[in-house]
Amino acid sequence: MGHNHRDVVFIVLLGATIISGVIALILFLVDGSDIFGLPDTKYGMVFDAGSSHTSLYVYKWPADKTNDTGIVSQALSCDAEGPGISDYVNDLVNAGESLRPCMEKALALIPEDKHQETPTFLGATAGMRLLREKNSSQADRIFEEITKVLGQFPVNFQGAQILTGIDEASFGWITINYILETLVKYTFSGEWIQPSTAEMVGALDLGGASAQISFLPLGRIADPSTNAIFRLYGYNYSVYAHSYLCYGQNQMEKRLLERLVQTRTSEVVRNPCYHGGYEDTLSLADLYDTPCVQSSQTSQPVQSLKVEGTGNPEACYSAVYSLFNFSACLGREDCTFDGIYQPQKHGQFYAFSGFYYTFHFLNLTDGQSLHTANETVWEFCQIPWKQVEASYPEEKQRLYAYCTNAMYILILLTSGYKFDDGTWSDIHFSKQVAGTDIGWTLGYMLNMTNMIPAEAPVLQRAESFSVWVAGVIFLALTIVMSIGSGVIYCFWSPD
């Protein structure tokens, strides 16, 4: 009988040991936070106050991974109703009120106990840069109204500011390389490595008032004003970054219209970039209400002019091309236009914002060749306006401008940034990567919250995790031994 008892005890101990071994293996292979719902989640918010509209982005990340890479994810995006904040100069109260619905939507998503600690920022770009140049007191009053409204919410609002052009360009570069994990990677063997710089990509951004380009050049940057210097994960980066103010889509269109107004031969302005049959009324007060457009007359004899589209892509190309001063480069290879320095570019580029939206509309975001892009734009611009309206009933607001914008993008990317038939395939027209919108906002938040460290991450988390696992295994084995001892005692203890 004792022999049978010992067999039973052996089986119990063996089973318990196997179970504890399985538990230990699971704990080694699975993050304890996946089992117990830890660690805590943190949130951050950034308003992108662009020239034509404002968007709010909510980001989240595990609290114990603040210094890791590729762990920030986008939890929400919200487009505020109405125009960009720079357009509220005569309606100051609504500059702030227009942001309220997106804030309420964001706070409904973020757990209430996280509201007070959620860092919240508002960054304004070229629209406000132009307004500050035109009337700095108006820009200040808009920010005051925004601060008044956002300050009413129970968040850690850290103020509103105007980004410089080089900041807007370089934060876009940080964003795309961060979410692609080309800054630093954590390997399966548990080591942090710096990927080859050849894996890093450039950023092409197109807004309503400005256009940005940023990339990591092969050699040194000759013009210090275009050199954005970062120390990220223990490595130094010298990024070429430039913002072309007045070269955003809306300001480019105004500059084009102003040129057509000045060269018209009648009271009707004929625009070759508008579809044949399109008609509109052009307010001269609105046209000249920007530092990007300089009036050649002290006073306008008329308040508005009629505009008619002619749908002529060849004439459209010539008219848009004339907005660039290519002769200012004097034949230099390291120059784009208007005398602006640009080192030799290389590698892959992600084109987002206006680049993506315009080419997505034309179904040109799937790797089509430059020849196909040119052909598509040319054909689209020649379609009569009534046919365009009937074909795209949901695109009423900016439908008339797609031909102009597409022609402009072609000229900017080829004659300006010098992409050609061979390098056109290096451009990826994208809105998101891994569920995160591409833009400057994520890079801005990472910078403002110091979530990208200057030094390489250390393995503190891995070490602490190993200690935790060892403790759990020790506890499991202690339980097993206790069970075994109890069983032995029950079977062999005297009556």
Side-chain angles (χ1 to χ4, degrees), residues 50-124:
S51 59
S52 56
H53 73 280
T54 299
S55 297
L56 171 62
Y57 296 94
V58 179
Y59 301 104
K60 64 178 181 179
W61 60 93
D64 73 335
K65 295 184 179 180
T66 301
N67 289 335
D68 293 2
T69 187
I71 46 77
V72 175
S73 60
Q74 183 175 308
L76 173 74
S77 67
C78 177
D79 292 330
E81 292 291 331
I85 61 173
S86 58
D87 285 346
Y88 285 98
V89 289
N90 297 317
D91 188 15
L92 291 173
V93 172
N94 282 323
E97 289 298 325
S98 66
L99 310 181
R100 190 179 293 275
C102 281
M103 277 295 289
E104 292 172 346
K105 186 176 180 180
L107 292 183
L109 171 73
I110 300 172
E112 189 173 349
D113 61 338
K114 301 295 180 186
H115 289 181
Q116 295 284 352
E117 66 185 52
T118 299
T120 303
F121 311 92
L122 184 141

Side-chain angles (χ1 to χ4, degrees), residues 49-51 84-92 95 124-144 146 162-163 209 245-246 251 289-292:
S51 59
I85 61 173
S86 58
D87 285 346
Y88 285 98
V89 289
N90 297 317
D91 188 15
L92 291 173
T125 53
M128 286 297 284
R129 289 201 291 273
L130 288 173
L131 179 60
R132 181 178 58 187
E133 182 180 323
K134 175 187 171 187
N135 192 321
S136 61
S137 61
Q138 287 182 337
D140 291 340
R141 284 196 292 272
I142 286 175
F143 276 144
E144 288 172 4
I146 287 173
I162 299 176
L163 273 68
L245 190 61
C246 298
Q251 294 300 322
D289 189 27
T290 169
C292 295

Side-chain angles (χ1 to χ4, degrees), residues 9 12-17 20 473-489:
V9 171
V12 171
L13 289 174
L14 179 62
T17 303
S20 65
I473 294 173
F474 177 79
L475 178 61
L477 291 175
T478 301
I479 294 173
V480 169
M481 295 304 295
S482 299
I483 294 174
S485 300
V487 171
I488 293 173
Y489 176 79

Side-chain angles (χ1 to χ4, degrees), residues 1-22:
M1 182 176 179
H3 179 74
N4 291 337
H5 286 172
R6 281 194 294 275
D7 289 345
V8 171
V9 171
F10 175 78
I11 292 172
V12 171
L13 289 174
L14 179 62
T17 303
I18 291 173
I19 292 172
S20 65
V22 172

